Amino acid sequence: DGGITQSPKYLFRKEGQNVTLSCEQNLNHDAMYWYRQDPGQGLRLIYYSQIVNDFQKGDIAEGYSVSREKKESFPLTVTSAQKNPTAFYLCASRTTGSGANVLTFGAGSRLTVL
Amino acid sequence: GQQVMQIPQYQHVQEGEDFTTYCNSSTTLSNIQWYKQRPGGHPVFLIQLVKSGEVKKQKRLTFQFGEAKKNSSLHITATQTTDVGTYFCALNQGGKLIFGQGTELSVKP
């Protein structure tokens, strides 16, 4: 089945540690996205990539980094510079063809900083 | 950039009552999408509206796009417990999708 796989589902980290969240898709989608979800604040865009080896900052990129070395993969690193990293992280992808702009989401990764 | 305001933030209804959530933008939208996120789950695409004044139905769900393409609504008739979740509208801004704050719907049996 085609889809998006995020791992790990749950992650605990100590303050001051970097952590990398994995996102892999086999949908052959060109564009990939990372959103952060906090209670009552909806989904906020962290980073997005419309093509391999290129990515852009979203609205809340500070304290995060990404890479897009392969079409299928878009890992997100939450660095120690992120002041409040505890949140639910959602990865999504979509094609970039005309009319085909629906987002498909992964199941999410819940990060807790202890 | 463009932003979209979504209201209400929460809605508690008795099963069988109707429910409506609204999205409003200060600028004209090219299109608007709606997603549903079940508790503990991830957002799932429901529908996209493109034309001015467009109305689309999916069983008990009715989606509307305003004549000026600045607002949209999702109406659920006779809610059921399976309707529980958070409903988001989303708009395209260049290569990215911007989401409203969402309306969390709870349904009391």
Side-chain angles (χ1 to χ4, degrees):
Chain A
D1 288 337
I4 299 179
T5 302
Q6 289 187 241
S7 62
K9 190 171 183 179
Y10 299 96
L11 184 62
F12 297 87
R13 160 199 127 172
K14 294 181 180 179
E15 281 191 23
Q17 290 181 336
N18 292 355
V19 62
T20 297
L21 307 180
S22 171
C23 179
E24 302 280 332
Q25 56 100 357
N26 60 5
L27 300 166
N28 199 32
H29 285 173
D30 301 303
M32 297 187 73
Y33 304 79
W34 275 104
Y35 289 90
R36 169 180 172 142
Q37 187 171 31
D38 297 280
Q41 294 197 46
L43 285 78
R44 293 184 290 169
L45 184 63
I46 305 172
Y47 268 99
Y48 65 106
S49 167
Q50 298 195 74
I51 195 169
V52 176
N53 292 321
D54 189 35
F55 49 83
Q56 288 78 40
K57 292 182 179 180
D59 300 318
I60 56 165
E62 185 176 352
Y64 299 97
S65 66
V66 293
S67 63
R68 187 86 187 276
E69 297 176 359
K70 297 187 300 181
K71 187 175 185 178
E72 302 80 17
S73 180
F74 192 41
L76 173 74
T77 296
V78 185
T79 75
S80 56
Q82 168 50 233
K83 293 183 176 16
N84 185 20
T86 294
F88 187 48
Y89 292 89
L90 286 158
C91 179
S93 70
R94 66 179 181 180
T95 62
T96 54
S98 61
N101 56 3
V102 173
L103 279 181
T104 300
F105 283 87
S109 292
R110 191 169 297 278
L111 172 64
T112 302
V113 175
L114 304 172
Chain B
Q2 286 180 310
Q3 289 190 350
V4 59
M5 297 299 296
Q6 189 173 356
I7 56 170
Q9 187 173 358
Y10 302 98
Q11 186 78 55
H12 309 285
V13 300
Q14 191 78 32
E15 189 172 22
E17 292 181 340
D18 292 356
F19 159 77
T20 305
T21 174
Y22 302 89
C23 278
N24 297 290
S25 170
S26 58
T27 59
T28 302
L29 304 172
S30 57
N31 60 65
I32 195 162
Q33 297 180 0
W34 286 92
Y35 291 77
K36 176 184 178 180
Q37 183 177 23
R38 294 184 185 275
H42 58 276
V44 174
F45 173 77
L46 293 176
I47 209 160
Q48 176 170 284
L49 305 173
V50 179
K51 299 178 182 177
S52 169
E54 188 171 14
V55 177
K56 287 188 176 180
K57 292 190 175 185
Q58 290 179 352
K59 297 183 180 178
R60 293 177 296 102
L61 277 61
T62 301
F63 303 84
Q64 293 189 338
F65 202 9
E67 293 289 343
K69 299 182 73 173
K70 290 185 176 182
N71 57 74
S72 181
S73 65
L74 159 58
H75 179 83
I76 302 178
T77 303
T79 54
Q80 300 176 359
T81 54
T82 53
D83 296 323
V84 165
T86 302
Y87 293 84
F88 294 96
C89 60
L91 59 94
N92 278 288
Q93 186 179 90
K96 53 187 181 180
L97 205 61
I98 305 300
F99 284 79
Q101 298 91 333
T103 296
E104 183 178 340
L105 172 65
S106 63
V107 179
K108 186 176 180 181

